Amino acid sequence: MKKIVLLYTFLVSCTLFAQTSDTWTAFWNKDTTKIGFQDKNGVIKIEPKFTGFTIARKFENIIAVTEEENNKWKSYYLTKEGKIIGRDSLYTFDNSTDCESEGFIRFRDPKTDKMGLFNSKGTIVIPADYSALSNVKNGMLTALIDAKKEREQGDEHFFWSGGKELLIDITNKVLIDNFVYIRDLNFYSLEKSKEPSKDPIRENFKGVDGQYYSFINFEKEFKFWLENTLLKDLSKANLEKHSFDKITYWKEPDGWINSAKAKFINQNYTYLKLKLQELQNLKTDYFISSDGLNQFIFESSEYEIYFNNCNEAKDWLYPTMDIVINPKNKTDLGQDHFEFLRTENGYKLISVSTRQHNLK
C-alpha cells in the first residue's frame, strides 16, 4: 500500500503546484481575430496576438499558441513566466493542440514525428521517444512505442500499426509493460495489491514490480450502479436524488431546453419510469455509449468543472453514459436517450431526448 500513497501524494503536490493563485483568462480583440490573456482583475497580461491553434481559454502554467508575424506562422509553447519552448513542435490531434493536464503538456518532435512531455516550467520530463502519449492522469500516461503510422487508401486519417503499449509515470518510469489500454479506465481509482482485485468493476494489470494495478472501469461501474441503485427504486424521490440540478431535454421545434430537475421529473414521471423499466426486460434492445459532456450544449457556469482549460470535456474523470433505447418495431425510426454524467456525488441524469414522447 505504500506505493499507492506515493502515487497519490505526487498527484496532490503536482496539482497544487499547477494551480496558480491567479489563472489568466482569454479575451478577444475588438474584431475577434486574436486572443490575449488577462488576470482575475481584468489587467491585461498578454495583449491579443494569438490565433490559429491557440485553443486555451484559461492559462494556468503552460499553453500551446500560434501567432502570425510578417505573413508567417509561428507556433510554440509558452509558460506563465514568459518562457518560449518547443518552437514548431505543437502536438495536434483532430485540428486541436494539446491542453495542460496536471501541469504537463505533450509535444511532437517535427524531425522524428515522435512525442514527449513538457512540465509546467517548459522542461522536458519525458523525451520524444514515443509514437503516441496520452494526457497525464493521476501522474500516469499511456504510451505507444515503436509503432508505424499508416493510412487506408483515400483516407486522410491515420492509424497506428504494431508497437507496444506501456503505462508510464511522469518520470518516464515504466509501471506496466505490454499494457492493453481500455478506454473507460478511471486512473484516479488506482489500487495496488499482491493479488488481482476481485472487484467485478475493476480491471487488473500486472506491473513490472510484480504487483497488480487495478482500475475501476467506468462502464462496469455505471452498469452496476444502474442495476443496483437506480432501477431498483424508480420512485420520484430516487429519480430526483440521482439527477443533476438541471435536466436538459430536446423539444421540437425549440431544441435543447433546461429545466429544474424537480419540475422535469414531476411533469414527465410516467414516461421516465416506463422507459427505464424497459431496461429490466431482457428483450429490450438498448446499449450504453460513453463520451464526454457536450460543451456546445452545457455552457453555463455550473458545468465548468467538467471541462479543462481548453473547454474540452474531462471524460477521463467525468464521463457521460448514454443509454440508447431502440424502438420495439425495427421499422420505426429514432431512439430514446437517457444521458448520465459521472459527478463527485455519483452518476446523475443530465439529459433526455425521446423518439415520440413530448417532454415538457
Side-chain angles (χ1 to χ4, degrees), residues 43-76:
V43 177
I44 295 175
K45 295 296 185 178
I46 303 176
E47 292 285 348
K49 64 177 182 175
F50 303 125
T51 185
F53 285 117
T54 309
I55 64 171
R57 293 298 174 262
K58 294 180 181 179
F59 191 169
E60 283 187 283
N61 297 281
I62 187 168
I63 58 173
V65 298
T66 59
E67 59 175 307
E68 187 179 7
E69 187 177 84
N70 298 325
N71 296 318
K72 293 183 179 180
W73 290 100
K74 298 195 305 181
S75 65
Y76 52 90

Side-chain angles (χ1 to χ4, degrees), residues 302-355:
E302 64 261 50
Y303 308 111
E304 188 174 327
I305 65 169
Y306 303 108
F307 299 98
N308 67 7
N309 290 347
C310 300
N311 203 35
E312 299 164 327
K314 295 181 182 178
D315 55 1
W316 57 90
L317 264 177
Y318 309 114
T320 56
M321 295 291 168
D322 188 13
I323 301 174
V324 184
I325 305 174
N326 293 313
K328 295 178 181 179
N329 188 337
K330 301 301 181 182
T331 61
D332 290 343
L333 299 176
Q335 298 166 315
D336 295 296
H337 292 256
F338 289 79
E339 185 178 39
F340 294 81
L341 173 67
R342 189 180 190 273
T343 73
E344 295 295 338
N345 297 309
Y347 288 95
K348 303 289 183 180
L349 177 65
I350 195 166
S351 76
V352 179
S353 64
T354 70
R355 186 172 59 88

Side-chain angles (χ1 to χ4, degrees), residues 16 55 91 156:
L16 289 175
I55 64 171
Y91 164 66
E156 64 178 7

Side-chain angles (χ1 to χ4, degrees), residues 1-122:
M1 294 300 291
K2 183 178 180 181
K3 186 66 174 180
I4 297 175
V5 174
L6 289 174
L7 281 169
Y8 281 122
T9 300
F10 170 79
L11 169 64
V12 172
S13 60
C14 171
T15 302
L16 289 175
F17 177 75
Q19 291 176 342
T20 57
S21 59
D22 181 15
T23 298
W24 299 347
T25 57
F27 71 98
W28 292 99
N29 61 357
K30 290 182 178 180
D31 60 1
T32 63
T33 57
K34 295 181 180 180
I35 289 174
F37 287 88
Q38 60 189 7
D39 67 15
K40 61 184 178 182
N41 297 317
V43 177
I44 295 175
K45 295 296 185 178
I46 303 176
E47 292 285 348
K49 64 177 182 175
F50 303 125
T51 185
F53 285 117
T54 309
I55 64 171
R57 293 298 174 262
K58 294 180 181 179
F59 191 169
E60 283 187 283
N61 297 281
I62 187 168
I63 58 173
V65 298
T66 59
E67 59 175 307
E68 187 179 7
E69 187 177 84
N70 298 325
N71 296 318
K72 293 183 179 180
W73 290 100
K74 298 195 305 181
S75 65
Y76 52 90
Y77 294 92
L78 180 67
T79 71
K80 201 71 166 290
E81 293 77 22
K83 183 180 179 181
I84 294 175
I85 43 110
R87 291 185 183 274
D88 300 319
S89 299
L90 299 191
Y91 164 66
T92 61
F93 178 78
D94 199 20
N95 292 320
S96 292
T97 53
D98 199 24
C99 198
E100 176 182 347
S101 179
E102 296 182 14
F104 300 89
I105 198 165
R106 295 170 287 182
F107 71 93
R108 185 176 291 282
D109 187 325
K111 295 180 180 179
T112 64
D113 199 30
K114 292 186 177 181
M115 292 179 63
L117 191 72
F118 287 121
N119 68 11
S120 61
K121 298 298 181 182

Side-chain angles (χ1 to χ4, degrees), residues 106-158:
R106 295 170 287 182
F107 71 93
R108 185 176 291 282
D109 187 325
K111 295 180 180 179
T112 64
D113 199 30
K114 292 186 177 181
M115 292 179 63
L117 191 72
F118 287 121
N119 68 11
S120 61
K121 298 298 181 182
T123 302
I124 295 176
V125 291
I126 295 180
D129 294 333
Y130 296 97
S131 305
L133 287 173
S134 73
N135 62 339
V136 179
K137 307 180 186 80
N138 196 12
M140 297 174 283
L141 310 86
T142 55
L144 179 65
I145 193 168
D146 296 331
K148 291 183 179 181
K149 188 182 289 186
E150 298 185 14
R151 282 184 173 89
E152 296 286 354
Q153 187 173 0
D155 191 347
E156 64 178 7
H157 300 289
F158 70 86

